[in-house]
Amino acid sequence: MLSAIFDVARSRNKKAQITGALLITDHYFVQTLEGDEAAVRSLYETIVTDERHTDVTLVEEGDCDHRTFSRWSMAQVSASGRADIPLHSNHGEIHAAARTSLTGEQIALLNRMRNTIGADAV
Ligand SMILES: Cc1cc2nc3c(=O)[nH]c(=O)nc-3n(C[C@H](O)[C@H](O)[C@H](O)COP(=O)(O)O)c2cc1C
């Protein structure tokens, strides 16, 4: 199911010039979407009605002058071996594996995403 979500998301996001990251845990998805406001709002409306998840909450929204995940049409953030950004649980923070070089801004946003689900994170 996850690979189906990523396949569709990556191809559609490229076309719509949307970037972001999707953090996956046993119980939650936490996603950042970046791009043109109308395109992001329209995608959000689609994702909200997706029956593969329930109880969707908008945590934060706002204008920004640049993208945090500009390299990724949708980065997979998880503890699975195939993740673009491996998620480790040490001390409640995101730790990128050596092969993944993340900016301080990316790490800060990933930690904010993770903190929204608190103790239930993988
Ligand atoms: C947690 C989650 C995140 C998703 N993220 C995206 C995304 O970033 N981009 C995208 O196009 N679809 C995403 N989807 C899939 C959409 O909900 C939808 O199935 C897909 O865009 C196809 O829409 P359509 O059936 O209207 O063509 C996501 C689904 C879930 C459950």
Side-chain angles (χ1 to χ4, degrees):
M1 183 194 86
L2 288 175
S3 64
I5 290 174
F6 276 99
D7 286 351
V8 171
R10 285 176 169 154
S11 115
R12 289 177 53 122
N13 292 0
K14 268 196 194 97
K15 282 183 205 140
Q17 298 188 327
I18 287 173
T19 53
L22 177 59
L23 188 157
I24 302 155
T25 73
D26 282 347
H27 301 288
Y28 294 108
F29 294 109
V30 187
Q31 186 170 34
T32 294
L33 297 170
E34 309 169 317
D36 172 75
E37 181 175 350
V40 169
R41 288 196 188 282
S42 158
L43 173 58
Y44 180 74
E45 292 309 317
T46 302
I47 294 173
V48 164
T49 61
D50 194 312
E51 289 178 356
R52 290 171 290 188
H53 59 177
T54 56
D55 306 320
V56 180
T57 306
L58 182 58
V59 180
E60 284 180 32
E61 62 182 311
D63 294 329
C64 45
D65 56 14
H66 65 278
R67 295 167 188 252
T68 301
F69 296 108
S70 54
R71 279 176 47 218
W72 282 289
S73 55
M74 191 47 60
Q76 180 174 343
V77 186
S78 73
S80 102
R82 290 167 53 222
D84 304 304
I85 303 172
L87 177 61
H88 301 299
S89 59
N90 297 354
H91 314 299
E93 296 200 347
I94 301 283
H95 290 273
R99 65 180 172 79
T100 314
S101 70
L102 296 174
T103 64
E105 186 185 0
Q106 287 168 339
I107 290 169
L109 180 49
L110 289 162
N111 281 326
R112 258 167 48 220
M113 290 167 70
R114 186 187 170 109
N115 287 341
T116 64
I117 48 173
D120 199 57
V122 171

